[in-house]
């Protein structure tokens, strides 16, 4: 049902503000499908822009803005609350979850139930999406000599659980979770969650707004939206 899918996509208006290298902001609900926006605003000294090679300085600013926006996007896909942000996978009630606790510790047997909860067609590209804290709790449950859980080896070789790669992300921590929290996920994220983003990043320089402070305002804009479209392709890990 492509019409329904498109209506659910891109219902976010994203705003991020950067001051002195510290960024804050959130994703704000929009009314029109396809009208998701992201904006990053930074103040930079006119002396810096004038003394340096302007092309090199602007490239650095664009790279930093791109990285900040990507970080916000990744966080929203996983942990967005649906309030001033799209609803992330870990907070969407349509995602089936599996309990993982045994006497306060991670139950290694739950790993088998989690994998079994993902349909076969989604297992080819399935990955674990965990914070480092949660991954280490799982690794500890298997024991240091277990071959089921492997630590990252460097050189692009990721950690793995039962042969499936682990994506370490800024998700919930096992050590600070409370009852019934969803602390991670396993499955095919590409199949489960769809994002739409306008190609490119719009960059504007404003030398006037903060001229009295010898500063130039640098604005970056893009459009992005996302939604869970196939909840069966991913399984949550519940702290219960």
């Amino acid at each position: 049902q492509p019409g329904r899918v498109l209506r659910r996509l891109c219902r976010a208006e994203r705003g991020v503000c950067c001051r002195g290298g510290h960024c804050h902001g959130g994703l704000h609900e929009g009314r029109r499908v396809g009208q998701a926006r992201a904006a990053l605003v930074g103040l930079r000294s006119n002396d810096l822009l004038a003394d340096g090679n302007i092309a090199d300085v602007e490239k650095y600013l664009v790279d930093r803005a791109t990285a900040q926006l990507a970080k916000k996007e990744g966080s929203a896909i996983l942990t967005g609350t649906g309030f001033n942000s799209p609803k992330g996978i870990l907070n969407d009630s349509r995602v089936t979850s599996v309990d993982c606790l045994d006497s306060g510790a991670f139950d290694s047997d739950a790993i088998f139930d989690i994998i079994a909860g993902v349909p076969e067609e989604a297992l080819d590209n399935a990955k674990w999406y965990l914070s480092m804290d949660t991954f280490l709790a799982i690794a500890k449950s298997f024991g240091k000599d277990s071959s089921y859980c492997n630590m990252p080896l460097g050189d692009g070789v990721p950690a793995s659980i039962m042969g499936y790669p682990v994506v370490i992300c800024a998700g919930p921590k096992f050590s600070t979770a409370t009852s019934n929290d969803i602390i991670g996920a396993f499955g095919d994220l590409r199949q489960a969650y769809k994002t739409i983003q306008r190609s490119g990043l719009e960059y504007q320089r404003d030398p006037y707004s903060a001229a009295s402070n010898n500063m130039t305002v640098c604005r970056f804009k893009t459009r992005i939206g996302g939604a869970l479209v196939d909840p069966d392709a991913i399984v949550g890990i519940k702290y219960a």
Side-chain angles (χ1 to χ4, degrees), residues 186-200:
F186 171 76
D188 186 345
L189 185 62
R190 289 181 178 272
Q191 182 176 330
Y193 200 93
K194 296 299 181 184
T195 59
I196 296 178
Q197 184 169 8
R198 185 175 66 180
S199 178

Side-chain angles (χ1 to χ4, degrees), residues 62 66 69 197-203 220-223:
V62 170
T66 301
L69 293 173
Q197 184 169 8
R198 185 175 66 180
S199 178
L201 186 68
E202 182 181 341
Y203 169 47
F220 303 86
K221 293 182 181 179
T222 189
R223 294 181 185 273

Side-chain angles (χ1 to χ4, degrees), residues 77 100 201 221 230:
I77 290 173
C100 70
L201 186 68
K221 293 182 181 179
D230 187 357

Side-chain angles (χ1 to χ4, degrees), residues 97-167:
S97 59
V98 173
D99 297 351
C100 70
L101 284 184
D102 181 18
S103 301
F106 195 96
D107 181 6
S108 59
D109 289 342
I111 293 295
F112 300 94
D113 296 330
I114 293 168
I115 295 175
V118 175
E120 293 184 4
E121 61 269 19
L123 286 176
D124 289 342
N125 298 311
K127 297 179 181 178
W128 299 92
Y129 297 90
L130 309 166
S131 66
M132 178 57 78
D133 182 273
T134 301
F135 169 69
L136 292 176
I138 295 174
K140 184 178 180 180
S141 72
F142 279 115
K144 63 180 181 180
D145 297 324
S146 174
S147 60
Y148 291 138
C149 187
N150 297 312
M151 299 298 290
L153 301 177
D155 296 328
V157 180
S160 65
I161 300 173
M162 297 292 289
Y164 294 98
V166 176
V167 177

Side-chain angles (χ1 to χ4, degrees), residues 12 16 36 51 62 66 71 74 104 114 116 120 123 132 165 176 181 186 200 205 217 228:
V16 184
D51 294 345
V62 170
T66 301
K71 190 179 297 183
I114 293 168
E120 293 184 4
L123 286 176
M132 178 57 78
T176 58
D181 283 352
F186 171 76
R205 292 179 61 219
V217 179
L228 181 69

